[in-house]
Amino acid sequence: MKKIKIACLGTGGRCRGLVQSTYIHHPGIEFTAFCDNAEGAAVNFASEFNKAYGKSVRAYLSYEELIKHESFDALFIACDPDIQVDYACDAMNRGIHVMTEVPAAYTIEQCRNLVSTVRKTGCKYQLAEQTRYWDFIRQWREMAERGEFGKIIYAEGEYLHYEPVWDNFVHIKTGHRVHSYDPKYYSDPASKPSWRGNTWKNPIYYLPHTLSPLLSITGGRITKVSCLGTRPSGYVSEGLVARDIQTALMYNSNDTIFSVRTGFTSPHGPKAGTYAHWYQVKGTERSVEWARSTADKPKMWTPAEGWTEHDWTLENTEAEDYIRQSGHGGSDWYPIHYFVDAIKNDKTPPMDVYKSVETAAPAILAAESADKGGVMLEIPDFRCE
Ligand SMILES: NC(=O)c1ccc[n+]([C@@H]2O[C@H](COP(=O)([O-])OP(=O)(O)OC[C@H]3O[C@@H](n4cnc5c(N)ncnc54)[C@H](O)[C@@H]3O)[C@@H](O)[C@H]2O)c1
């Protein structure tokens, strides 16, 4: 069958990792071009890729050049997430299918643009959020579909991911990332905060990996949010413009309460398998939770059996090796699989534009709520606008 021609915009760590560890194994796609506006980034990646796989992928320094010189069916966008929507909409307006990386949007206006462009063009759009494909999430979802939770009344999750080497700044002229927490870079005229550095002001923006799996189990959409955070100056790195932790309290259209938190600038103990992610779901008839640390196991509680430990896994143990070995515990395979399937077979991908903005808008308004001292804000219903 004819292969889908894909170009990549933004060849940072995420794109390079996905392409080389996972997407290269997909028989239905063919890479045509890599584009990155940082000096040398796309050329170096294309040359490394071509040498390793005997291909002839071309490299570009700007989206405009990419569009002018290349013809392709689909664009994978993994550049700075706060600017992905403009490129996604422009590409879809040219008839190109698009998959973007998380978070789907940074403003409510971007959410609306994404939705209206997908509706207008009919192009396939998918968010590459992968944690919803973890096998224990699938098992919890199936329990919910079978009614085994009774009524789900509470869902909770966290993503607390400290790295001592986060690239908090970027060199303005070259676009190269500066891996440092030193606030001296704020006053360096040659540097500016990177998208990560900017996101840490309100880390609650980075909610897709928490909301996407939880909403896939509870159903419904978040309708209200209120959020609090610590002071906007790090405790671990004094002077870094970052809230070390933010927690949002949310309510969804199925009468479920959500408590979700994020933080990236202070260290916390890892969880077994999921490292920085943790989840629990409470129903009227059972509760499930992932391991809270590396010293315990995932657990389920029912009135009949009390607490029992479970060997739920991240990867689907029956999947092919190349799927189980894809990144993030075998989950990175599924977004490209479903994106290609949607294009080839004219299907709506599972993480479609509505589900994507329904993970972004609550986070955007959570950040606004935190800036306003925790006021409760209503989330627009993009399906009805
Ligand atoms: N799903 C996941 O588990 C996961 C993991 C890591 C990152 N991500 C997401 O992937 C995306 C990229 O993350 P990353 O870690 O690779 O970040 P990064 O900052 O390392 O890479 C972004 C790249 O985009 C390039 N870029 C920026 N603006 C551009 C433009 N206008 N045109 C072309 N290139 C441009 C930058 O030069 C950089 O090389 C983000 O949305 C991030 O949230 C997702």
Side-chain angles (χ1 to χ4, degrees):
M1 247 179 122
K2 202 171 146 255
K3 291 192 179 200
I4 290 171
K5 289 185 183 169
I6 292 198
C8 297
L9 183 71
T11 62
R14 180 61 177 157
C15 170
R16 294 197 308 271
L18 278 176
V19 166
Q20 290 174 308
S21 75
T22 304
Y23 294 3
I24 191 69
H25 298 298
H26 200 299
I29 60 176
E30 178 188 352
F31 291 102
T32 59
F34 298 145
C35 173
D36 196 297
N37 68 357
E39 224 170 64
V43 171
N44 290 344
F45 181 44
S47 127
E48 193 185 322
F49 180 86
N50 291 340
K51 209 164 149 192
Y53 301 104
K55 306 281 183 193
S56 50
V57 170
R58 292 163 292 278
Y60 295 91
L61 248 181
S62 76
Y63 173 77
E64 291 71 24
E65 276 181 61
L66 172 76
I67 287 291
K68 189 169 161 199
H69 297 294
E70 292 289 331
S71 155
F72 46 91
D73 309 302
L75 180 64
F76 172 50
I77 305 182
C79 66
D80 303 13
D82 50 344
I83 57 169
Q84 290 181 14
V85 170
D86 284 350
Y87 292 119
C89 292
D90 185 85
M92 286 189 278
N93 279 323
R94 296 168 190 273
I96 298 166
H97 306 291
V98 171
M99 181 161 73
T100 65
E101 259 299 347
V102 298
Y106 268 63
T107 65
I108 296 297
E109 191 193 354
Q110 286 183 347
C111 292
R112 292 199 163 106
N113 287 346
L114 208 49
V115 168
S116 64
T117 307
V118 173
R119 278 187 190 149
K120 185 179 78 183
T121 62
C123 285
K124 304 300 174 192
Y125 166 82
Q126 181 175 254
L127 184 69
E129 199 294 303
Q130 78 280 19
T131 60
R132 59 171 31 226
Y133 303 110
W134 276 334
D135 202 61
F136 71 92
I137 295 289
R138 176 188 66 76
Q139 295 201 41
W140 294 1
R141 188 162 49 238
E142 288 178 8
M143 283 178 194
E145 285 161 5
R146 291 192 295 267
E148 291 169 4
F149 283 100
K151 167 75 185 89
I152 296 179
I153 51 179
Y154 185 74
E156 185 176 358
E158 71 179 34
Y159 183 31
L160 301 179
H161 186 170
Y162 175 75
E163 292 281 347
V165 293
W166 279 135
D167 45 349
N168 291 311
F169 300 94
V170 58
H171 191 266
I172 294 167
K173 190 157 168 270
T174 62
H176 292 160
R177 274 46 188 154
V178 180
H179 291 78
S180 175
Y181 280 75
D182 193 334
K184 78 173 185 208
Y185 285 102
Y186 291 120
S187 49
D188 171 8
S191 309
K192 61 178 184 180
S194 65
W195 69 264
R196 283 199 170 87
N198 278 326
T199 299
W200 303 163
K201 281 180 213 160
N202 275 308
I204 203 73
Y205 273 115
Y206 217 85
L207 261 192
H209 296 317
T210 312
L211 275 186
S212 161
L214 288 176
L215 282 168
S216 82
I217 297 164
T218 63
R221 67 174 190 90
I222 303 292
T223 58
K224 292 179 200 174
V225 61
S226 160
C227 181
L228 289 176
T230 47
R231 69 180 193 191
S233 173
Y235 281 94
V236 176
S237 287
E238 192 86 24
L240 191 78
V241 181
R243 297 183 200 273
D244 284 326
I245 198 160
Q246 280 185 318
T247 295
L249 194 59
M250 301 182 174
Y251 180 75
N252 90 345
S253 53
N254 286 348
D255 196 27
T256 305
I257 303 290
F258 285 63
S259 171
V260 286
R261 55 194 164 271
T262 52
F264 300 89
T265 49
S266 59
H268 303 277
K271 289 87 178 152
T274 52
Y275 183 65
H277 301 274
W278 179 78
Y279 309 90
Q280 73 162 324
V281 177
K282 285 185 182 297
T284 51
E285 292 172 27
R286 77 169 46 169
S287 301
V288 291
E289 63 173 58
W290 190 247
R292 285 174 183 258
S293 70
T294 48
D296 70 339
K297 284 194 144 195
K299 296 174 234 29
M300 178 161 78
W301 181 87
T302 62
E305 295 184 33
W307 283 109
T308 44
E309 288 186 342
H310 287 262
D311 287 325
W312 294 315
T313 53
L314 274 65
E315 76 275 13
N316 174 351
T317 50
E318 284 165 22
E320 304 273 352
D321 280 357
Y322 65 90
I323 299 178
R324 280 191 289 116
Q325 284 154 17
S326 71
H328 293 95
S331 60
D332 274 341
W333 169 258
Y334 294 94
I336 188 70
H337 165 77
Y338 285 119
F339 184 50
V340 170
D341 183 45
I343 297 170
K344 284 201 161 173
N345 301 309
D346 192 18
K347 291 183 185 166
T348 301
M351 194 64 191
D352 70 359
V353 72
Y354 294 109
K355 288 185 185 148
S356 304
V357 296
E358 283 166 1
T359 63
I364 293 161
L365 291 169
E368 186 179 328
S369 166
D371 285 341
K372 292 177 174 167
V375 295
M376 178 74 78
L377 296 173
E378 303 262 342
I379 320 293
D381 183 352
F382 300 101
R383 292 171 194 260
C384 298
E385 286 187 347

